[in-house]
């Protein structure tokens, strides 16, 4: 493919880097070299539809990399969520692209690298979201890479005539591009940290457990997403329901012949039947015998990825993003015992679990009890057990984001921490979720911890051990609390031993962790710094 050179005088001093497929011209922005829309794989359409990614065609001349590349096909958020979550659309087929922010382009710099994998329930999101701007990471000496990957039915449909997990294969291809190319942008391919939130973190869990991804990264950050795999039948039902509405066979060949806009509308219609709290049909990563040879949590609890250092965490009130925008908080409170019964079915637990939550949180309403139960079932239990399983030589670090949004009803909800991690709380799109006046000092603290983890492997607080130290990022200075969720998690430990109440899918049956005596919470002051749940039962989180 030939690409016209950009010869205007205004481009004379722009940074140019030669990749294995051709040269790209970026921009200098506030002292940082920025390259956007670099293809790491060929457009996944035409004969390549629903197929694994292949390398891009080489180009002649210098390809302009000044603007974000096309975003993968995706339906828009509902009106309630669109008010809170930005999700720009860039048209075009060449959607398997990535962006690079670097303070020092050139092979001699050997700077640490961070690769961002966005969330969005594996159906929405992209690297073009303004909150994910990599300027602050590059300012602090890190080469930041953000990637696009196929979403929804294009990336995670399960068909008899196409390989599964196309979107995860895209992520692997992007990491292979980083391994091959990032030194030319000033990065060190031996010091790569992958980090992601929600569906991005779930993806990283699968990559951690995949033999094909071994050696591509040294550290990993899982924000509000555990290692999991979806039940194959759950994904098949999603495809079959789409096929029924479209009146076509449930095959990749038939879906490829459907108008793309109609395919997205149908996907959105079918997806309305499920949610992270309620469950239901959803796209997800599946065990495929190759890229994902076994359930990711099972593989990691058995000692997988022993040399990868981990940073794991969640927000205090994840569930409020799932329930508040559509008025479900009030509806769940009105339903009362019916809602609790639904949560018990969702989590496959007996009456002792909600009774225990009621005793621990006597003043909480039904919606908060249900929300915390589902949050623990989906996120905190598996992440605790993952931290427990790490070998001492590669420690894990655990955090909780507790600052409440200034948007009424959201609290410390899912995805709220992202503007703080990227140090982009002043970006208007971050304020959609955080409200006005988000504390810059909290962004300074959280962002610096992520940078320090990428650079040193230590974010600045105690590694996980039997005392369960958790770094709290909330009001005031960050501080470490011992076992802040231990009482709730002890309920799930007890539940895992109840006859007839399995907490794992048929594909994953790890042993329950040893039960610990309950312990009073302790707080360590610090200075301001410059058995998993039913593994196939959740959907990727938005």
């Amino acid at each position: 493919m030939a690409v016209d050179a950009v010869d205007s005088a205004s481009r004379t001093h722009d940074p140019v880097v030669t990749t294995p497929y051709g040269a790209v011209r970026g921009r200098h922005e506030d002292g940082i070299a920025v390259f956007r829309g670099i293809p790491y794989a060929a457009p996944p359409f035409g004969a390549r539809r629903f197929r694994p990614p292949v390398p891009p065609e080489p180009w002649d001349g210098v390809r302009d990399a000044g603007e974000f590349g096309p975003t993968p096909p995706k339906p828009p958020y509902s009106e309630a969520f669109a008010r809170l979550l930005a999700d720009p659309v860039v048209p075009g087929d060449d959607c398997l692209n990535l962006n690079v922010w670097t303070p020092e382009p050139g092979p001699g710099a050997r700077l640490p690298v961070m690769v961002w994998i966005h969330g969005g329930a594996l159906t929405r999101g992209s690297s073009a979201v303004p909150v994910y701007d990599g300027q602050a990471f590059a300012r602090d000496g890190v080469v930041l890479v953000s990637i696009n990957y196929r979403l929804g039915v294009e990336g995670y449909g399960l068909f008899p005539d196409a390989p599964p997990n196309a979107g995860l294969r895209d992520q692997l291809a992007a990491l292979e591009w980083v391994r091959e190319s990032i030194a030319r942008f000033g990065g060190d391919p031996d010091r790569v940290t992958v980090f992601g939130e929600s569906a991005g973190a779930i993806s990283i869990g699968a990559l951690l457990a995949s033999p094909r991804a071994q050696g591509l990264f040294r550290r990993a950050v899982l924000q509000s997403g555990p290692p999991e795999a979806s039940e194959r039948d759950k994904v098949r039902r999603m495809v079959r329901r789409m096929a029924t509405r479209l009146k076509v066979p449930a095959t990749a060949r038939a879906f490829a012949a459907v108008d793309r806009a109609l395919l997205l509308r149908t996907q959105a219609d079918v997806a309305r039947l499920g949610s992270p709290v309620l469950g239901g049909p959803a796209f997800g990563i599946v065990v495929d015998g190759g890229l994902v040879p076994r359930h990711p949590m099972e593989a990691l609890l058995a000692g997988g990825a022993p040399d990868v250092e981990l940073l794991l965490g969640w927000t205090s009130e994840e569930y409020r993003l799932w329930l508040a925008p559509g008025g479900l908080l009030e509806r769940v409170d009105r339903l009362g015992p019916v809602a609790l019964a639904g949560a018990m079915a969702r989590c496959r637990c007996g009456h002792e679990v909600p009774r225990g939550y009621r005793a621990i949180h006597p003043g909480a309403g039904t919606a908060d009890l249900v929300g915390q139960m589902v949050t623990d079932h989906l996120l905190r239990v598996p992440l605790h057990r993952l931290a427990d399983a790490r070998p001492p030589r590669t420690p894990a670090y655990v955090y909780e984001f507790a600052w409440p949004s200034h948007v009424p009803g959201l609290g410390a909800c899912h995805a709220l921490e992202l503007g703080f991690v990227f140090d982009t709380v002043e970006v208007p799109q971050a304020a959609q979720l955080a409200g006005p006046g988000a504390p810059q000092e909290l962004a300074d603290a959280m962002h610096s911890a992520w940078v320090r983890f990428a650079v040193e492997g230590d974010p600045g607080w105690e590694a996980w051990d039997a005392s369960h130290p958790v770094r709290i990022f909330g009001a005031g200075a960050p501080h470490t609390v011992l076992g802040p969720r231990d009482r709730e998690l002890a309920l799930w430990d007890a539940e895992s031993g109840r006859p007839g109440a399995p907490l794992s899918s048929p594909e994953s049956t790890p042993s329950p962790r040893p039960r610990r005596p309950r312990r009073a919470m302790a707080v360590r002051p610090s200075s301001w710094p410059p058995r998993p749940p039913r593994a196939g039962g959740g959907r990727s989180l938005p």
Side-chain angles (χ1 to χ4, degrees):
M1 181 177 73
V3 176
D4 292 336
V6 182
D7 294 324
S8 68
S10 62
R11 301 276 73 90
T12 301
H13 301 293
D14 282 340
V16 175
V17 172
T18 301
T19 77
Y21 306 104
V24 291
R25 186 188 304 274
R27 303 288 188 271
H28 284 299
E29 298 176 5
D30 297 325
I32 301 300
V34 185
F35 302 82
R36 296 182 175 92
I38 304 172
Y40 67 83
F45 298 105
R48 294 185 287 268
R49 192 89 174 271
F50 299 109
R51 310 307 300 179
V54 297
E57 289 290 329
W59 58 85
D60 299 321
V62 180
R63 184 183 184 115
D64 188 52
E67 305 292 338
F68 285 114
T71 52
K74 55 188 174 177
Y77 280 117
S78 67
E79 183 179 351
F81 282 96
R83 290 196 295 266
L84 301 171
L85 302 171
D87 197 11
V89 172
V90 181
D93 286 355
D94 208 356
C95 60
L96 299 185
N97 58 69
L98 53 77
N99 319 296
V100 180
W101 285 260
T102 175
E104 192 175 342
R110 307 293 289 186
L111 298 171
V113 180
M114 297 185 74
V115 179
W116 171 246
I117 302 178
H118 69 79
L122 299 176
T123 58
R124 295 176 176 88
S126 77
S127 65
V129 173
V131 177
Y132 307 153
D133 187 280
Q135 181 80 19
F137 281 105
R139 173 200 68 200
D140 293 333
V142 172
V143 177
L144 191 285
V145 180
S146 60
I147 70 172
N148 287 336
Y149 56 95
R150 278 173 284 181
L151 303 168
V153 71
E154 300 279 356
Y156 296 93
L158 193 55
F159 299 103
D161 56 339
N165 297 322
L168 190 67
R169 295 172 192 274
D170 295 342
Q171 296 170 15
L172 179 68
L175 288 170
E176 290 170 341
W177 183 97
V178 168
R179 181 73 182 178
E180 184 178 9
S181 308
I182 203 62
R184 308 174 193 217
F185 292 83
D188 184 346
D190 294 323
R191 287 200 293 165
V192 174
T193 298
V194 290
F195 70 128
E197 185 265 349
S198 193
I202 291 169
S203 300
I204 290 170
L207 292 168
L208 277 166
S210 174
R212 288 185 54 190
Q214 300 310 299
L216 294 178
F217 50 88
R218 181 173 173 182
R219 301 181 177 111
V221 184
L222 281 70
Q223 301 173 214
S224 300
E228 69 173 31
S230 293
E231 296 171 358
R232 295 176 72 91
D233 188 58
K234 183 182 290 288
V235 181
R236 285 196 189 99
R237 287 202 306 272
M238 189 75 172
V239 172
R240 287 169 183 162
R241 290 179 183 185
M242 290 183 64
T244 298
R245 294 193 179 208
L246 293 167
K247 296 181 173 57
V248 300
T251 64
R253 181 177 181 181
F255 273 49
V258 175
D259 174 76
R260 274 193 231 170
L262 175 59
L263 199 63
L264 289 177
R265 288 196 301 271
T266 305
Q267 176 184 303
D269 287 343
V270 172
R272 289 192 183 98
L273 301 174
S275 77
V277 174
L278 302 175
F283 292 113
I285 296 164
V286 297
V287 174
D288 60 17
L291 179 59
V292 187
R294 62 193 293 197
H295 191 283
M297 179 63 88
E298 181 183 81
L300 293 172
L301 292 184
D307 299 321
V308 180
E309 296 155 337
L310 299 182
L311 174 58
L312 315 167
W314 49 77
T315 72
S316 296
E317 299 169 293
E318 300 271 1
Y319 62 95
R320 286 186 168 268
L321 182 64
W322 311 329
L323 296 179
L328 284 176
L329 280 171
E330 296 80 5
R331 193 178 310 169
V332 171
D333 275 334
R334 288 196 302 269
L335 288 172
V338 174
L340 275 177
M344 290 166 56
R346 174 79 171 97
C347 300
R348 288 188 174 181
C349 68
H351 290 280
E352 290 304 313
V353 172
R355 286 173 186 162
Y357 274 80
R358 180 71 73 187
I360 296 168
H361 306 283
T366 300
D368 286 320
L369 288 178
V370 166
Q372 290 293 3
M373 279 179 56
V374 174
T375 296
D376 289 345
H377 171 73
L378 291 176
L379 296 176
R380 295 190 184 114
V381 171
L383 290 177
H384 261 246
R385 292 180 178 173
L386 177 58
D388 282 344
R390 302 309 292 165
R393 70 177 186 274
T394 50
Y397 300 86
V398 177
Y399 75 90
E400 179 169 321
F401 183 81
W403 181 82
S405 170
H406 289 161
V407 176
L410 288 184
C413 69
H414 191 68
L416 181 58
E417 87 282 9
L418 294 175
F420 295 84
V421 168
F422 279 86
D423 192 10
T424 53
V425 291
E426 295 183 355
V427 172
Q429 291 80 0
Q432 291 177 223
L433 198 60
Q440 180 60 50
E441 62 272 18
L442 183 57
D444 293 341
M446 202 166 192
H447 173 75
S448 67
W450 264 238
V451 170
R452 178 170 168 173
F453 179 71
V455 174
E456 303 175 12
D458 175 357
W461 64 88
E462 300 90 332
W464 187 259
D465 59 19
S467 68
H468 293 179
V470 177
R471 190 67 154 186
I472 306 296
F473 292 93
H479 56 280
T480 300
V481 176
L482 300 182
R485 303 285 176 177
D486 278 6
R487 290 187 297 169
E488 292 91 339
L489 298 179
L491 297 170
W492 297 102
D493 282 343
E495 181 67 17
S496 67
R498 182 174 67 87
L503 291 180
S504 56
S505 75
E507 294 176 322
S508 174
T509 54
S511 301
R513 66 178 180 181
R515 294 180 60 186
R516 298 180 175 83
R518 293 185 182 178
R519 172 178 58 253
M521 238 182 339
V523 176
R524 294 180 185 169
S526 63
S527 59
W528 192 267
R531 278 126 275 9
R534 178 173 171 253
R539 71 176 272 170
S540 299
L541 310 177

